[in-house]
mmCIF file of all heavy atoms in Angstrom:
data_model
loop_
_atom_site.group_PDB
_atom_site.id
_atom_site.type_symbol
_atom_site.label_atom_id
_atom_site.label_comp_id
_atom_site.label_asym_id
_atom_site.label_seq_id
_atom_site.Cartn_x
_atom_site.Cartn_y
_atom_site.Cartn_z
ATOM 1 N N GLU A 23 19.716 -210.583 186.215
ATOM 2 C CA GLU A 23 20.803 -211.455 186.657
ATOM 3 C C GLU A 23 20.274 -212.413 187.720
ATOM 4 O O GLU A 23 19.289 -212.119 188.407
ATOM 5 C CB GLU A 23 21.955 -210.627 187.253
ATOM 6 C CG GLU A 23 22.552 -209.600 186.315
ATOM 7 C CD GLU A 23 23.478 -210.213 185.268
ATOM 8 O OE1 GLU A 23 23.759 -211.430 185.359
ATOM 9 O OE2 GLU A 23 23.910 -209.476 184.371
ATOM 10 N N THR A 24 20.946 -213.561 187.860
ATOM 11 C CA THR A 24 20.588 -214.532 188.898
ATOM 12 C C THR A 24 21.704 -214.564 189.930
ATOM 13 O O THR A 24 22.807 -215.036 189.643
ATOM 14 C CB THR A 24 20.371 -215.932 188.294
ATOM 15 O OG1 THR A 24 19.417 -215.838 187.231
ATOM 16 C CG2 THR A 24 19.854 -216.896 189.356
ATOM 17 N N PHE A 25 21.422 -214.018 191.110
ATOM 18 C CA PHE A 25 22.391 -213.985 192.211
ATOM 19 C C PHE A 25 22.065 -215.076 193.216
ATOM 20 O O PHE A 25 20.927 -215.553 193.285
ATOM 21 C CB PHE A 25 22.330 -212.638 192.953
ATOM 22 C CG PHE A 25 22.943 -211.477 192.219
ATOM 23 C CD1 PHE A 25 23.446 -211.608 190.932
ATOM 24 C CD2 PHE A 25 23.016 -210.223 192.811
ATOM 25 C CE1 PHE A 25 24.001 -210.539 190.258
ATOM 26 C CE2 PHE A 25 23.565 -209.136 192.147
ATOM 27 C CZ PHE A 25 24.060 -209.298 190.867
ATOM 28 N N ILE A 26 23.056 -215.455 194.025
ATOM 29 C CA ILE A 26 22.783 -216.292 195.196
ATOM 30 C C ILE A 26 22.180 -215.381 196.263
ATOM 31 O O ILE A 26 22.755 -214.341 196.596
ATOM 32 C CB ILE A 26 24.067 -216.971 195.692
ATOM 33 C CG1 ILE A 26 24.555 -217.978 194.651
ATOM 34 C CG2 ILE A 26 23.846 -217.666 197.033
ATOM 35 C CD1 ILE A 26 25.884 -218.615 194.979
ATOM 36 N N ALA A 27 21.012 -215.771 196.784
ATOM 37 C CA ALA A 27 20.313 -214.918 197.744
ATOM 38 C C ALA A 27 21.054 -214.888 199.079
ATOM 39 O O ALA A 27 21.536 -215.915 199.556
ATOM 40 C CB ALA A 27 18.888 -215.421 197.959
ATOM 41 N N THR A 28 21.150 -213.696 199.662
ATOM 42 C CA THR A 28 21.743 -213.560 200.998
ATOM 43 C C THR A 28 20.628 -213.483 202.027
ATOM 44 O O THR A 28 19.492 -213.127 201.698
ATOM 45 C CB THR A 28 22.622 -212.293 201.099
ATOM 46 O OG1 THR A 28 21.863 -211.174 200.655
ATOM 47 C CG2 THR A 28 23.865 -212.423 200.275
ATOM 48 N N GLU A 29 20.969 -213.827 203.263
ATOM 49 C CA GLU A 29 19.990 -213.832 204.335
ATOM 50 C C GLU A 29 19.476 -212.409 204.569
ATOM 51 O O GLU A 29 20.275 -211.490 204.742
ATOM 52 C CB GLU A 29 20.625 -214.392 205.608
ATOM 53 C CG GLU A 29 19.632 -215.043 206.545
ATOM 54 C CD GLU A 29 20.299 -215.946 207.552
ATOM 55 O OE1 GLU A 29 20.546 -217.125 207.219
ATOM 56 O OE2 GLU A 29 20.606 -215.458 208.651
ATOM 57 N N GLY A 30 18.163 -212.243 204.561
ATOM 58 C CA GLY A 30 17.566 -210.922 204.736
ATOM 59 C C GLY A 30 17.098 -210.306 203.433
ATOM 60 O O GLY A 30 16.445 -209.258 203.430
ATOM 61 N N MET A 31 17.398 -210.939 202.293
ATOM 62 C CA MET A 31 16.964 -210.424 200.990
ATOM 63 C C MET A 31 15.473 -210.732 200.793
ATOM 64 O O MET A 31 14.990 -211.763 201.266
ATOM 65 C CB MET A 31 17.807 -211.083 199.895
ATOM 66 C CG MET A 31 17.829 -210.344 198.586
ATOM 67 S SD MET A 31 18.943 -211.155 197.406
ATOM 68 C CE MET A 31 20.437 -210.218 197.656
ATOM 69 N N TYR A 32 14.743 -209.861 200.128
ATOM 70 C CA TYR A 32 13.314 -210.070 199.892
ATOM 71 C C TYR A 32 12.927 -209.439 198.563
ATOM 72 O O TYR A 32 13.651 -208.589 198.027
ATOM 73 C CB TYR A 32 12.478 -209.467 201.035
ATOM 74 C CG TYR A 32 12.730 -207.997 201.272
ATOM 75 C CD1 TYR A 32 11.969 -207.017 200.644
ATOM 76 C CD2 TYR A 32 13.761 -207.581 202.132
ATOM 77 C CE1 TYR A 32 12.213 -205.675 200.847
ATOM 78 C CE2 TYR A 32 14.010 -206.235 202.348
ATOM 79 C CZ TYR A 32 13.226 -205.288 201.704
ATOM 80 O OH TYR A 32 13.480 -203.958 201.900
ATOM 81 N N THR A 33 11.796 -209.857 198.025
ATOM 82 C CA THR A 33 11.355 -209.312 196.744
ATOM 83 C C THR A 33 11.005 -207.836 196.924
ATOM 84 O O THR A 33 10.364 -207.446 197.909
ATOM 85 C CB THR A 33 10.120 -210.063 196.204
ATOM 86 O OG1 THR A 33 9.124 -210.099 197.208
ATOM 87 C CG2 THR A 33 10.469 -211.462 195.787
ATOM 88 N N GLY A 34 11.450 -207.030 195.978
ATOM 89 C CA GLY A 34 11.255 -205.586 196.063
ATOM 90 C C GLY A 34 12.418 -204.862 196.707
ATOM 91 O O GLY A 34 12.466 -203.636 196.694
ATOM 92 N N ALA A 35 13.379 -205.620 197.287
ATOM 93 C CA ALA A 35 14.540 -204.984 197.913
ATOM 94 C C ALA A 35 15.462 -204.419 196.838
ATOM 95 O O ALA A 35 15.565 -204.964 195.733
ATOM 96 C CB ALA A 35 15.296 -205.993 198.774
ATOM 97 N N PHE A 36 16.149 -203.328 197.171
ATOM 98 C CA PHE A 36 17.122 -202.750 196.246
ATOM 99 C C PHE A 36 18.498 -203.321 196.541
ATOM 100 O O PHE A 36 18.887 -203.484 197.703
ATOM 101 C CB PHE A 36 17.152 -201.223 196.363
ATOM 102 C CG PHE A 36 15.890 -200.566 195.873
ATOM 103 C CD1 PHE A 36 15.107 -199.802 196.734
ATOM 104 C CD2 PHE A 36 15.491 -200.724 194.557
ATOM 105 C CE1 PHE A 36 13.938 -199.193 196.286
ATOM 106 C CE2 PHE A 36 14.321 -200.126 194.095
ATOM 107 C CZ PHE A 36 13.548 -199.359 194.961
ATOM 108 N N VAL A 37 19.222 -203.645 195.471
ATOM 109 C CA VAL A 37 20.580 -204.186 195.574
ATOM 110 C C VAL A 37 21.502 -203.250 194.809
ATOM 111 O O VAL A 37 21.213 -202.888 193.658
ATOM 112 C CB VAL A 37 20.637 -205.617 194.976
ATOM 113 C CG1 VAL A 37 22.068 -206.109 194.888
ATOM 114 C CG2 VAL A 37 19.803 -206.573 195.813
ATOM 115 N N TYR A 38 22.591 -202.847 195.444
ATOM 116 C CA TYR A 38 23.552 -201.951 194.804
ATOM 117 C C TYR A 38 24.855 -202.699 194.555
ATOM 118 O O TYR A 38 25.348 -203.396 195.457
ATOM 119 C CB TYR A 38 23.802 -200.723 195.688
ATOM 120 C CG TYR A 38 22.555 -199.891 195.896
ATOM 121 C CD1 TYR A 38 21.701 -200.153 196.966
ATOM 122 C CD2 TYR A 38 22.234 -198.853 195.027
ATOM 123 C CE1 TYR A 38 20.551 -199.393 197.162
ATOM 124 C CE2 TYR A 38 21.092 -198.083 195.219
ATOM 125 C CZ TYR A 38 20.256 -198.360 196.284
ATOM 126 O OH TYR A 38 19.119 -197.619 196.465
ATOM 127 N N VAL A 39 25.382 -202.564 193.343
ATOM 128 C CA VAL A 39 26.628 -203.248 192.999
ATOM 129 C C VAL A 39 27.627 -202.224 192.462
ATOM 130 O O VAL A 39 27.258 -201.311 191.734
ATOM 131 C CB VAL A 39 26.399 -204.371 191.954
ATOM 132 C CG1 VAL A 39 25.447 -205.423 192.489
ATOM 133 C CG2 VAL A 39 25.872 -203.817 190.645
ATOM 134 N N GLY A 40 28.880 -202.369 192.855
ATOM 135 C CA GLY A 40 29.915 -201.469 192.353
ATOM 136 C C GLY A 40 30.815 -200.945 193.451
ATOM 137 O O GLY A 40 30.550 -201.120 194.641
ATOM 138 N N LYS A 41 31.873 -200.268 193.030
ATOM 139 C CA LYS A 41 32.877 -199.762 193.970
ATOM 140 C C LYS A 41 32.294 -198.739 194.939
ATOM 141 O O LYS A 41 32.673 -198.685 196.112
ATOM 142 C CB LYS A 41 34.044 -199.134 193.181
ATOM 143 C CG LYS A 41 35.209 -198.738 194.064
ATOM 144 C CD LYS A 41 36.354 -198.173 193.244
ATOM 145 C CE LYS A 41 37.520 -197.798 194.147
ATOM 146 N NZ LYS A 41 38.631 -197.213 193.396
ATOM 147 N N LYS A 42 31.348 -197.925 194.472
ATOM 148 C CA LYS A 42 30.790 -196.854 195.315
ATOM 149 C C LYS A 42 29.530 -197.305 196.076
ATOM 150 O O LYS A 42 28.874 -196.484 196.708
ATOM 151 C CB LYS A 42 30.445 -195.648 194.431
ATOM 152 C CG LYS A 42 31.625 -195.065 193.650
ATOM 153 C CD LYS A 42 32.469 -194.161 194.515
ATOM 154 C CE LYS A 42 33.677 -193.619 193.757
ATOM 155 N NZ LYS A 42 33.330 -192.635 192.731
ATOM 156 N N ALA A 43 29.192 -198.594 195.991
ATOM 157 C CA ALA A 43 27.993 -199.079 196.687
ATOM 158 C C ALA A 43 28.197 -199.032 198.201
ATOM 159 O O ALA A 43 29.320 -199.107 198.698
ATOM 160 C CB ALA A 43 27.668 -200.501 196.241
ATOM 161 N N GLN A 44 27.100 -198.912 198.911
ATOM 162 C CA GLN A 44 27.141 -198.839 200.373
ATOM 163 C C GLN A 44 27.385 -200.223 200.956
ATOM 164 O O GLN A 44 27.004 -201.232 200.372
ATOM 165 C CB GLN A 44 25.802 -198.287 200.877
ATOM 166 C CG GLN A 44 25.796 -197.907 202.345
ATOM 167 C CD GLN A 44 24.445 -197.361 202.769
ATOM 168 O OE1 GLN A 44 23.563 -197.196 201.944
ATOM 169 N NE2 GLN A 44 24.287 -197.099 204.053
ATOM 170 N N LEU A 45 28.030 -200.262 202.131
ATOM 171 C CA LEU A 45 28.281 -201.531 202.813
ATOM 172 C C LEU A 45 26.999 -201.954 203.529
ATOM 173 O O LEU A 45 26.762 -201.575 204.668
ATOM 174 C CB LEU A 45 29.441 -201.394 203.808
ATOM 175 C CG LEU A 45 29.914 -202.694 204.446
ATOM 176 C CD1 LEU A 45 30.715 -203.511 203.460
ATOM 177 C CD2 LEU A 45 30.751 -202.410 205.690
ATOM 178 N N ALA A 46 26.166 -202.728 202.817
ATOM 179 C CA ALA A 46 24.896 -203.201 203.383
ATOM 180 C C ALA A 46 24.637 -204.611 202.878
ATOM 181 O O ALA A 46 25.128 -204.998 201.806
ATOM 182 C CB ALA A 46 23.755 -202.267 202.981
ATOM 183 N N VAL A 47 23.877 -205.372 203.638
ATOM 184 C CA VAL A 47 23.623 -206.779 203.306
ATOM 185 C C VAL A 47 22.978 -206.894 201.931
ATOM 186 O O VAL A 47 22.004 -206.196 201.623
ATOM 187 C CB VAL A 47 22.733 -207.440 204.379
ATOM 188 C CG1 VAL A 47 22.292 -208.829 203.941
ATOM 189 C CG2 VAL A 47 23.463 -207.509 205.708
ATOM 190 N N GLY A 48 23.547 -207.757 201.097
ATOM 191 C CA GLY A 48 23.024 -207.985 199.752
ATOM 192 C C GLY A 48 23.750 -207.215 198.673
ATOM 193 O O GLY A 48 23.637 -207.544 197.490
ATOM 194 N N ASN A 49 24.507 -206.152 199.060
ATOM 195 C CA ASN A 49 25.231 -205.352 198.076
ATOM 196 C C ASN A 49 26.530 -206.032 197.668
ATOM 197 O O ASN A 49 27.118 -206.789 198.443
ATOM 198 C CB ASN A 49 25.527 -203.955 198.620
ATOM 199 C CG ASN A 49 24.272 -203.124 198.764
ATOM 200 O OD1 ASN A 49 23.183 -203.557 198.383
ATOM 201 N ND2 ASN A 49 24.401 -201.935 199.309
ATOM 202 N N VAL A 50 26.977 -205.746 196.455
ATOM 203 C CA VAL A 50 28.190 -206.353 195.901
ATOM 204 C C VAL A 50 29.264 -205.275 195.781
ATOM 205 O O VAL A 50 29.059 -204.261 195.103
ATOM 206 C CB VAL A 50 27.917 -206.997 194.520
ATOM 207 C CG1 VAL A 50 29.178 -207.617 193.952
ATOM 208 C CG2 VAL A 50 26.813 -208.045 194.640
ATOM 209 N N LEU A 51 30.400 -205.497 196.456
ATOM 210 C CA LEU A 51 31.499 -204.522 196.468
ATOM 211 C C LEU A 51 32.819 -205.234 196.220
ATOM 212 O O LEU A 51 32.937 -206.446 196.462
ATOM 213 C CB LEU A 51 31.592 -203.828 197.831
ATOM 214 C CG LEU A 51 30.540 -202.866 198.318
ATOM 215 C CD1 LEU A 51 29.332 -203.582 198.866
ATOM 216 C CD2 LEU A 51 31.130 -201.983 199.400
ATOM 217 N N PRO A 52 33.844 -204.481 195.789
ATOM 218 C CA PRO A 52 35.200 -205.054 195.792
ATOM 219 C C PRO A 52 35.648 -205.289 197.233
ATOM 220 O O PRO A 52 35.247 -204.562 198.148
ATOM 221 C CB PRO A 52 36.055 -203.966 195.122
ATOM 222 C CG PRO A 52 35.096 -203.038 194.472
ATOM 223 C CD PRO A 52 33.812 -203.133 195.229
ATOM 224 N N LEU A 53 36.478 -206.291 197.451
ATOM 225 C CA LEU A 53 36.927 -206.610 198.811
ATOM 226 C C LEU A 53 37.693 -205.443 199.428
ATOM 227 O O LEU A 53 37.685 -205.259 200.646
ATOM 228 C CB LEU A 53 37.807 -207.866 198.795
ATOM 229 C CG LEU A 53 37.130 -209.160 198.323
ATOM 230 C CD1 LEU A 53 38.103 -210.321 198.434
ATOM 231 C CD2 LEU A 53 35.861 -209.458 199.113
ATOM 232 N N SER A 54 38.347 -204.637 198.582
ATOM 233 C CA SER A 54 39.119 -203.504 199.100
ATOM 234 C C SER A 54 38.227 -202.480 199.795
ATOM 235 O O SER A 54 38.692 -201.704 200.634
ATOM 236 C CB SER A 54 39.886 -202.825 197.959
ATOM 237 O OG SER A 54 38.979 -202.386 196.957
ATOM 238 N N GLU A 55 36.921 -202.458 199.461
ATOM 239 C CA GLU A 55 35.986 -201.495 200.060
ATOM 240 C C GLU A 55 35.321 -202.033 201.329
ATOM 241 O O GLU A 55 34.515 -201.347 201.940
ATOM 242 C CB GLU A 55 34.902 -201.114 199.034
ATOM 243 C CG GLU A 55 35.433 -200.524 197.733
ATOM 244 C CD GLU A 55 36.266 -199.267 197.957
ATOM 245 O OE1 GLU A 55 35.804 -198.389 198.700
ATOM 246 O OE2 GLU A 55 37.374 -199.186 197.385
ATOM 247 N N MET A 56 35.627 -203.288 201.681
ATOM 248 C CA MET A 56 35.037 -203.878 202.889
ATOM 249 C C MET A 56 36.053 -203.813 204.026
ATOM 250 O O MET A 56 37.194 -204.246 203.852
ATOM 251 C CB MET A 56 34.659 -205.347 202.648
ATOM 252 C CG MET A 56 33.640 -205.574 201.561
ATOM 253 S SD MET A 56 33.212 -207.323 201.448
ATOM 254 C CE MET A 56 32.326 -207.360 199.897
ATOM 255 N N PRO A 57 35.682 -203.296 205.191
ATOM 256 C CA PRO A 57 36.635 -203.246 206.309
ATOM 257 C C PRO A 57 36.920 -204.636 206.876
ATOM 258 O O PRO A 57 36.188 -205.599 206.600
ATOM 259 C CB PRO A 57 35.914 -202.370 207.340
ATOM 260 C CG PRO A 57 34.478 -202.437 206.977
ATOM 261 C CD PRO A 57 34.398 -202.674 205.512
ATOM 262 N N GLU A 58 37.978 -204.729 207.665
ATOM 263 C CA GLU A 58 38.331 -206.001 208.298
ATOM 264 C C GLU A 58 37.193 -206.480 209.186
ATOM 265 O O GLU A 58 36.562 -205.687 209.882
ATOM 266 C CB GLU A 58 39.606 -205.839 209.133
ATOM 267 C CG GLU A 58 40.850 -205.657 208.292
ATOM 268 C CD GLU A 58 42.103 -205.502 209.144
ATOM 269 O OE1 GLU A 58 42.071 -205.936 210.312
ATOM 270 O OE2 GLU A 58 43.092 -204.939 208.639
ATOM 271 N N GLY A 59 36.957 -207.795 209.159
ATOM 272 C CA GLY A 59 35.897 -208.373 209.965
ATOM 273 C C GLY A 59 34.560 -208.466 209.248
ATOM 274 O O GLY A 59 33.600 -209.016 209.794
ATOM 275 N N THR A 60 34.482 -207.947 208.012
ATOM 276 C CA THR A 60 33.221 -208.002 207.265
ATOM 277 C C THR A 60 32.890 -209.449 206.883
ATOM 278 O O THR A 60 33.762 -210.200 206.451
ATOM 279 C CB THR A 60 33.311 -207.139 205.986
ATOM 280 O OG1 THR A 60 33.661 -205.814 206.347
ATOM 281 C CG2 THR A 60 31.999 -207.129 205.231
ATOM 282 N N ILE A 61 31.630 -209.815 207.041
ATOM 283 C CA ILE A 61 31.129 -211.125 206.622
ATOM 284 C C ILE A 61 30.655 -210.990 205.175
ATOM 285 O O ILE A 61 29.830 -210.121 204.867
ATOM 286 C CB ILE A 61 29.950 -211.573 207.521
ATOM 287 C CG1 ILE A 61 30.384 -211.669 208.984
ATOM 288 C CG2 ILE A 61 29.363 -212.877 207.039
ATOM 289 C CD1 ILE A 61 31.395 -212.731 209.285
ATOM 290 N N CYS A 62 31.161 -211.846 204.300
ATOM 291 C CA CYS A 62 30.769 -211.770 202.892
ATOM 292 C C CYS A 62 30.614 -213.176 202.313
ATOM 293 O O CYS A 62 31.024 -214.158 202.929
ATOM 294 C CB CYS A 62 31.773 -210.951 202.084
ATOM 295 S SG CYS A 62 33.456 -211.564 202.188
ATOM 296 N N CYS A 63 30.013 -213.257 201.143
ATOM 297 C CA CYS A 63 29.805 -214.553 200.501
ATOM 298 C C CYS A 63 29.899 -214.384 198.988
ATOM 299 O O CYS A 63 29.992 -213.270 198.486
ATOM 300 C CB CYS A 63 28.451 -215.141 200.898
ATOM 301 S SG CYS A 63 27.048 -214.135 200.383
ATOM 302 N N ASN A 64 29.850 -215.497 198.272
ATOM 303 C CA ASN A 64 29.968 -215.504 196.803
ATOM 304 C C ASN A 64 31.130 -214.624 196.344
ATOM 305 O O ASN A 64 30.982 -213.723 195.520
ATOM 306 C CB ASN A 64 28.654 -215.044 196.159
ATOM 307 C CG ASN A 64 28.559 -215.441 194.697
ATOM 308 O OD1 ASN A 64 29.328 -216.279 194.214
ATOM 309 N ND2 ASN A 64 27.642 -214.844 193.977
ATOM 310 N N VAL A 65 32.312 -214.909 196.899
ATOM 311 C CA VAL A 65 33.504 -214.097 196.649
ATOM 312 C C VAL A 65 34.217 -214.611 195.399
ATOM 313 O O VAL A 65 34.283 -215.823 195.167
ATOM 314 C CB VAL A 65 34.446 -214.158 197.873
ATOM 315 C CG1 VAL A 65 35.686 -213.314 197.655
ATOM 316 C CG2 VAL A 65 33.722 -213.714 199.132
#
């Protein structure tokens, strides 16, 4: 897949996508799983 790169992403980094993914930079989650004040992009 071709994603928009987030700041801090690098080759070889692991990216987790899905409802059960951890809240970490570069991961893709539903907005309901992000707490208030979370910075996100490509929404």
